[in-house]
């Protein structure tokens, strides 16, 4: 009989609510959790009127355990994506008087802070959980007595008043013996200062008066997106930058010797970027951890190399991706770079051509940058920064000679990549750029 009644109530949630309402332990329930995580705090009658008949929604009452006079306050439902939280602090103490729905503790999750409310009016008998415990929905936090007298616990203000007079007397009686009730509101009105004037300016208005020769324009959407991604990168990654210097003599000589033949055969100019990209591919193959990424509690290793090239445009910085760079030769790389750079400057580049990428190269040297610490392009784990070529005195075979030198920088996520791998990666780029013959011999 009981199981048959339970099945009928489950199929008819509205009838179930009327059934629960007929019992004394459920008549005060005023919180209902709707499917999807929203909470209804209206009284029972209004909550009943909220559902159309027949209602497609199911309704659950706030769960708490009851043992006659004692009830348990439990951790409430915290949302679909939140499975547990940390008991941060207690807002009450054992012996404190609490009203129904009054918060007694706070639960911190990875998204929000949730209150644990008292299911009934009464006095807190004891706490079951402790601060710092990891709790889940339904975990018992405190035991509350519904029938405990309200004067069993003396509040801190009453304790102080009792110490001054030598006896613990109720606060209301003490006020009656000192100040007539009719005079209390009058004294409060005299002592209460007037509320401060409400500021007329809103946060969106400028805080400083405008000055001459200034103009205000809306932030472009591209700049907003760049700002958000870069700030998220700083907040997420443990970024560390390591540096090295490269002698550009041999790569520049290779370019000078074969630039005409290269243009004649492939139709594009031979640049320095293709040499660095081939060197980066070799470094990523030697240190695959730099091509990997952290995803939650896992490490994702990529068996492909898609290199993002940072391109500055009049509208802002864009990062097109060269797919499968490990399968390209110098000519293929130069052609792809030229095609993507033209699209970026013309504003015709698509989202798909900028999506993805496992590693980024940023060439600040074209603007004259001598040294910088680039910021990782999420969700990648590292970025290579190239800089300007400067002729500096170097010691070669015991002699001081001028050499075209470039500083290179690697910013990496130190959570995943150690300094050893980062230094080996830069050393590989240095070796390949200084002696491009290594690529032919796979050395």
């Amino acid at each position: 009989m009981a199981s048959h009644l339970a099945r009928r109530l489950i199929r008819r949630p509205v009838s179930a609510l009327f059934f629960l309402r007929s019992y004394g332990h459920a008549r005060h329930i005023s919180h209902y959790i709707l499917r999807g995580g929203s909470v209804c705090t209206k009284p029972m009658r209004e909550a009943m009127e909220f559902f159309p008949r027949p209602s497609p929604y199911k309704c659950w009452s706030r769960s708490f355990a009851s043992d006659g006079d004692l009830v348990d306050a439990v951790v409430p439902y915290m949302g679909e994506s939140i499975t547990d939280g940390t008991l941060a602090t207690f807002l009450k103490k054992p012996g404190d008087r609490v009203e129904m729905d009054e918060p007694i503790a706070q639960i911190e999750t990875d998204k929000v802070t949730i209150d644990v409310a008292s299911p009934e009016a009464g006095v807190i008998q004891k706490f079951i959980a402790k601060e710092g415990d990891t709790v889940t929905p339904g975990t018992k936090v405190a035991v509350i007595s519904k029938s405990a007298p309200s004067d069993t616990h003396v509040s801190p203000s009453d304790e102080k008043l009792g110490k001054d007079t030598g006896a613990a007397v109720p606060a209301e009686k003490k006020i009656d013996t000192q100040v007539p009730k009719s005079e209390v509101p009058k004294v409060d009105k005299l002592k209460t200062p007037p509320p401060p004037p409400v500021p007329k300016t809103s946060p969106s208005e400028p805080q400083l008066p405008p000055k001459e020769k200034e103009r205000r324009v809306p932030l472009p959407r591209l700049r907003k997106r760049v700002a958000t991604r870069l700030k998220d990168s700083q907040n997420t990654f443990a970024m560390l930058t390591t540096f090295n210097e490269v002698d550009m003599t041999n790569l520049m000589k290779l370019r000078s010797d074969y630039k005409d033949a290269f243009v004649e055969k492939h139709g594009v100019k031979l640049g320095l970027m293709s040499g660095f990209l081939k060197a980066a591919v070799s470094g990523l193959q030697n240190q695959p951890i730099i091509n990997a990424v952290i995803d939650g509690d896992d490490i994702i290793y990529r068996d492909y190399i898609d290199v993002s090239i940072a391109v500055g445009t009049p509208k802002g910085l864009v990062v097109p991706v060269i797919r499968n760079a490990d399968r390209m030769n110098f000519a293929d790389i130069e052609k792809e770079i030229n095609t993507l750079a033209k699209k970026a400057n013309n504003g015709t580049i698509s989202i798909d051509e900028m999506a993805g990428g496992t590693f980024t190269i940023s060439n600040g040297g074209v603007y004259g940058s001598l040294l910088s610490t680039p910021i990782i392009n999420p969700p990648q784990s590292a970025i290579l920064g190239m800089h300007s070529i400067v002729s500096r005195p170097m010691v070669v075979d015991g002699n001081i000679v001028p050499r075209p030198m470039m500083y290179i920088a690697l910013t990496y996520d130190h959570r995943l990549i150690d300094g050893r791998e980062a230094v080996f990666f830069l050393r590989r780029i240095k070796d390949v750029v200084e002696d491009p013959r290594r690529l032919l011999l796979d050395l």
Side-chain angles (χ1 to χ4, degrees), residues 294-430:
I294 293 178
D295 183 23
D297 295 331
D298 302 324
I299 301 176
I300 299 178
Y301 287 91
R302 284 98 165 231
D303 295 331
Y304 59 94
I305 298 177
D306 292 345
V307 180
S308 304
I309 304 295
V311 178
T313 67
K315 294 183 179 180
L317 183 69
V318 296
V319 190
V321 180
I322 299 178
R323 312 285 179 185
N324 299 315
D326 51 325
R327 303 177 186 176
M328 293 184 175
N329 56 28
F330 280 77
D332 295 334
I333 292 173
E334 291 292 349
K335 291 177 182 178
E336 189 68 12
I337 291 176
N338 288 342
T339 301
L340 294 175
K342 289 179 180 179
K343 289 184 177 181
N345 286 295
N346 296 335
T348 59
I349 192 168
S350 65
I351 297 296
D352 294 337
E353 291 173 320
M354 294 187 293
T358 62
F359 183 76
T360 297
I361 298 178
S362 176
N363 186 9
V366 296
Y367 307 110
S369 173
L370 180 63
L371 192 63
S372 67
T373 55
I375 299 177
I376 297 174
N377 180 26
Q380 301 172 12
S381 298
I383 179 174
L384 175 67
M386 299 169 53
H387 301 91
S388 59
I389 301 173
V390 179
S391 181
R392 298 203 307 270
M394 302 297 295
V395 178
V396 179
D397 297 331
N399 300 318
I400 299 178
V401 295
R403 290 287 191 180
M405 303 298 296
M406 175 193 289
Y407 289 118
I408 55 177
L410 179 72
T411 300
Y412 57 96
D413 186 0
H414 207 356
R415 301 177 304 165
L416 177 66
I417 304 169
D418 292 330
R420 174 179 177 273
E421 287 79 11
V423 171
F424 283 171
F425 177 82
L426 279 188
R427 283 300 306 266
R428 179 60 182 173
I429 291 180
K430 176 182 173 67

Side-chain angles (χ1 to χ4, degrees), residues 112-135:
V112 294
T113 299
I114 300 173
D115 291 333
V116 178
S118 173
E120 293 283 350
V123 176
I124 298 177
Q125 294 294 312
K126 62 179 180 178
F127 289 136
I128 299 177
K130 297 183 295 183
E131 293 184 357
D133 288 353
T134 300
V135 294

Side-chain angles (χ1 to χ4, degrees), residues 1 21 34 38 40 42 70 75 84 106 134 151 173 176 181 202 209 219 254 268 280 299 302 312 323 328 340 364 383:
M1 179 66 181
R21 188 182 179 190
L34 306 179
S38 61
C40 174
K42 295 183 179 181
L70 301 179
V75 177
D84 56 26
Q106 288 184 336
T134 300
D151 56 351
K173 293 183 178 180
D176 292 341
K181 291 183 179 179
S202 63
L219 192 65
L254 176 68
V268 291
I299 301 176
R302 284 98 165 231
R323 312 285 179 185
M328 293 184 175
L340 294 175
I383 179 174

Side-chain angles (χ1 to χ4, degrees), residues 156-167 169-171 174-175 178:
S157 59
D158 296 339
E159 291 178 356
K160 184 177 180 181
L161 189 60
K163 291 180 181 178
D164 294 340
T165 58
V169 297
K174 190 63 180 179
I175 294 176
Q178 291 181 353

Side-chain angles (χ1 to χ4, degrees), residues 116-337:
V116 178
S118 173
E120 293 283 350
V123 176
I124 298 177
Q125 294 294 312
K126 62 179 180 178
F127 289 136
I128 299 177
K130 297 183 295 183
E131 293 184 357
D133 288 353
T134 300
V135 294
T136 58
T139 302
K140 296 180 181 180
V141 174
V143 177
I144 298 173
S145 174
K146 297 184 292 184
S147 62
S150 59
D151 56 351
T152 55
H153 176 69
V154 181
S155 63
S157 59
D158 296 339
E159 291 178 356
K160 184 177 180 181
L161 189 60
K163 291 180 181 178
D164 294 340
T165 58
V169 297
E172 293 182 358
K173 293 183 178 180
K174 190 63 180 179
I175 294 176
D176 292 341
T177 58
Q178 291 181 353
V179 182
K181 291 183 179 179
S182 60
E183 297 181 4
V184 172
K186 185 177 180 180
V187 174
D188 293 341
K189 289 182 179 179
L190 294 176
K191 292 184 179 181
T192 303
V198 180
K200 296 182 179 180
T201 59
S202 63
S204 61
E205 295 177 350
Q207 299 297 322
L208 297 176
K211 299 179 181 180
E212 295 181 359
K213 299 182 180 181
E214 287 185 350
R215 57 191 178 95
R216 183 182 296 268
V217 297
L219 192 65
R221 296 178 62 89
L222 177 59
R223 179 52 54 187
K224 285 183 180 180
R225 180 60 178 165
V226 171
T228 300
R229 288 179 61 85
L230 293 182
K231 190 57 184 174
D232 290 344
S233 177
Q234 286 186 326
N235 295 337
T236 302
F237 300 132
M239 287 191 290
L240 184 63
T241 305
T242 185
F243 304 92
N244 212 321
E245 57 181 359
V246 179
D247 187 345
M248 300 293 295
T249 301
N250 291 330
L251 184 60
M252 294 177 67
K253 186 176 185 303
L254 176 68
R255 177 189 180 191
S256 176
D257 292 343
Y258 295 100
K259 63 180 181 179
D260 295 335
F262 193 86
V263 171
E264 182 179 353
K265 180 176 181 179
H266 301 291
V268 291
K269 294 182 179 180
L270 178 62
L272 298 178
M273 179 60 74
S274 57
F276 271 91
L277 197 147
K278 291 292 290 184
V281 168
S282 178
L284 292 173
Q285 291 172 338
N286 288 351
Q287 302 295 331
I289 191 64
I290 297 179
N291 200 46
V293 66
I294 293 178
D295 183 23
D297 295 331
D298 302 324
I299 301 176
I300 299 178
Y301 287 91
R302 284 98 165 231
D303 295 331
Y304 59 94
I305 298 177
D306 292 345
V307 180
S308 304
I309 304 295
V311 178
T313 67
K315 294 183 179 180
L317 183 69
V318 296
V319 190
V321 180
I322 299 178
R323 312 285 179 185
N324 299 315
D326 51 325
R327 303 177 186 176
M328 293 184 175
N329 56 28
F330 280 77
D332 295 334
I333 292 173
E334 291 292 349
K335 291 177 182 178
E336 189 68 12
I337 291 176

Side-chain angles (χ1 to χ4, degrees), residues 49-104:
E49 295 173 356
F50 174 81
F51 293 97
R53 298 185 182 183
S55 172
Y57 297 96
K58 291 184 179 180
C59 180
W60 294 268
S61 62
R62 182 185 56 201
S63 57
F64 61 90
S66 176
D67 185 15
D69 176 61
L70 301 179
V71 293
D72 295 332
V74 301
V75 177
Y77 175 74
M78 297 184 290
E80 294 181 358
S81 60
I82 304 175
T83 58
D84 56 26
T86 302
L87 182 56
T89 182
F90 287 106
L91 305 177
K92 300 291 182 178
K93 299 178 180 179
D96 283 353
R97 176 77 183 182
V98 293
E99 301 298 329
M100 186 173 63
D101 299 330
E102 184 177 358
I104 62 176

